[in-house]
Amino acid sequence: MTPVSSNAPHGQSSLRTVQVVGGGHAGSSAHVRSLAEGLVARGVRVTVCAPAEADHAYDFRGTGADHVPVPRSSDPAAVGRLRAACADADLVHAHGLHASFRAALALGGRTTPLVVTWHDRAHAEGARAHLLRLLERRVARTAAVVLGTSSALVDRARSTGARDARLGAMALPGRPRPAAPEDPDRPSAKLRAELGATDRPLLLAVGSLDRHRGYDVLLDAARRWSSLDPQPVTLVAGEGPLRAELQQRIRDEELPVRLLGVRDDVPDLLAAADLALLTSRWESRPLFAQEALHARVPLVATAVGGVPDLVGDAAALVPYGDPRALADTVTALLADPERRAQLTERGTRQASGWPTEDDAVAQVLSIYDELTQTLALL
């Protein structure tokens, strides 16, 4: 077992870690890439076990890490591949519930410390919800340390049996410099024209078209603000199983809402928006909320999960599932440029206090050192 504080050249570590990611959550994949880059720069040997498509999207190997393609599956072949990749690891760090469960299976019978990061809460209903609770309990009780991206997730880990649950330092990976109103690099009027918002307010939501995102409530609210003059344009960037259902409602009710599908220009869309909307039933540390505040775009969000702690007083918070409250808040903000400017300035201050990528790397290195030193003494 090689502790972090070993006598590696130039004081760097010779620790070998395996980072396990499922690839189904953009925030966790971006976080793993950021961690890998920071760890490699500090002399840590890093292997990222992730689906091939995740490596294509996030280029883990571009950080100097090794990549072992492991599909998002708990079948024996996938777990066997993961077990082989972890064979000589000093420590394994898994990200997300399902990746953590696979890592726990792969490490069965070994003393290799397992750290897990819960980036969000898994969403399911009925029998699947019961299964997810069982997985949470198994992972929480197996891990040496559980890092939660919000205090709500830390509390959840503790309630499911975690021996050691802590708040994780989570950065906004690859954070761009804040945009200013006079910034010449902001999207031109051409983009707003392409989006049908030349002389109309532009509202933007980003996220998969899943039930827990609350897009049914968003459509109910859009019906309320559709009578405004000028009429706002509401854009939803993302894809998912509810596309047909949502699109049918948009057509039937003639709502001023467009489903854009998956977009690779979300920063440009966000910079062009007048308001950012987050309508989810539950979020831990939503990437979109962070991007909105950092991009100086006023945010309206549901007061759920870790959102209030993340945004503080820098966003207009509404109850989940209340289309009237959402519509009234959006309407009031569109009519109040001073309030929007106030949220913009508060957002900039709030974002400046969030952890940096260096903070996140420093925290995990400290935990790795703690666990490997302890194991070396046994």
Side-chain angles (χ1 to χ4, degrees):
M1 185 63 58
T2 307
V4 175
S5 54
S6 64
N7 296 319
H10 307 297
Q12 290 187 319
S13 168
S14 58
L15 183 82
R16 177 172 183 260
T17 73
V18 172
Q19 305 286 323
V20 184
V21 61
H25 186 282
S28 62
S29 296
H31 178 66
V32 169
R33 191 194 193 284
S34 175
L35 279 186
E37 187 169 41
L39 291 171
V40 168
R42 290 160 177 79
V44 178
R45 292 177 296 154
V46 177
T47 298
V48 178
C49 291
E53 58 270 23
D55 183 55
H56 293 155
Y58 292 93
D59 189 24
F60 300 121
R61 286 175 291 186
T63 68
D66 294 325
H67 171 248
V68 174
V70 177
R72 297 175 60 194
S73 170
S74 295
D75 66 38
V79 173
R81 185 177 299 180
L82 184 56
R83 172 177 281 267
C86 297
D88 61 346
D90 295 307
L91 183 142
V92 175
H93 189 164
H95 301 262
L97 178 60
H98 295 285
S100 300
F101 178 66
R102 289 193 292 273
L105 291 177
L107 292 176
R110 295 181 181 176
T111 59
T112 308
L114 173 64
V115 176
V116 305
T117 296
W118 286 357
H119 293 263
D120 205 347
R121 201 178 82 187
H123 301 275
E125 299 176 358
R128 181 166 169 76
H130 177 67
L131 174 61
L132 288 177
R133 287 194 293 271
L134 294 177
L135 293 184
E136 283 183 334
R137 188 175 299 115
R138 167 69 183 273
V139 168
R141 294 179 177 180
T142 301
V145 174
V146 177
L147 294 175
T149 59
S150 68
S151 57
L153 279 180
V154 174
D155 291 343
R156 188 175 183 87
R158 288 172 179 158
S159 69
T160 54
R163 292 171 284 166
D164 187 343
R166 313 179 193 181
L167 185 64
M170 303 298 296
L172 177 57
R175 183 163 60 181
R177 64 182 173 86
E182 68 278 5
D183 192 334
D185 293 329
R186 288 177 70 88
S188 66
K190 179 181 178 182
L191 177 56
R192 288 183 65 98
E194 291 172 352
L195 298 171
T198 302
D199 298 310
R200 300 164 63 186
L202 194 158
L203 315 179
L204 177 67
V206 174
S208 58
L209 306 184
D210 295 302
R211 191 72 60 188
H212 75 276
R213 298 289 185 183
Y215 290 139
D216 55 336
V217 179
L218 176 61
L219 295 190
D220 290 341
R223 186 170 60 245
R224 292 176 175 272
W225 65 58
S226 64
S227 60
L228 295 178
D229 184 18
Q231 185 186 63
V233 177
T234 304
L235 307 178
V236 180
E239 194 53 85
L242 294 185
R243 166 174 275 277
E245 177 182 324
L246 296 173
Q247 192 63 63
Q248 186 66 46
R249 275 200 61 189
I250 292 168
R251 283 196 299 265
D252 291 349
E253 300 174 34
E254 299 181 344
L255 299 175
V257 179
R258 289 177 56 195
L259 304 181
L260 301 180
V262 176
R263 299 282 295 224
D264 59 6
D265 61 345
V266 168
D268 290 340
L269 293 173
L270 185 55
D274 295 293
L275 292 178
L277 307 179
L278 183 70
T279 57
S280 303
R281 179 172 58 194
W282 203 94
E283 294 277 0
S284 177
R285 193 177 178 87
L287 185 62
F288 181 58
Q290 297 176 68
E291 291 173 334
L293 266 61
H294 194 75
R296 299 176 59 87
V297 179
L299 172 69
V300 180
T302 43
V304 297
V307 174
D309 287 343
L310 175 67
V311 302
D313 65 354
L317 297 179
V318 298
Y320 168 73
D322 189 337
R324 180 185 294 274
L326 176 61
D328 288 349
T329 301
V330 167
T331 300
L333 280 173
L334 291 177
D336 191 346
E338 290 186 5
R339 172 64 173 155
R340 296 201 305 273
Q342 182 184 59
L343 288 178
T344 293
E345 294 308 313
R346 288 180 178 179
T348 300
R349 289 197 300 271
Q350 185 76 7
S352 69
W354 291 335
T356 65
E357 292 180 273
D358 283 343
D359 293 334
V361 173
Q363 183 193 42
V364 298
L365 275 175
S366 176
I367 292 171
Y368 295 173
D369 183 52
E370 174 187 332
L371 294 176
T372 55
Q373 292 280 15
T374 298
L375 190 59
L377 294 175
L378 296 180

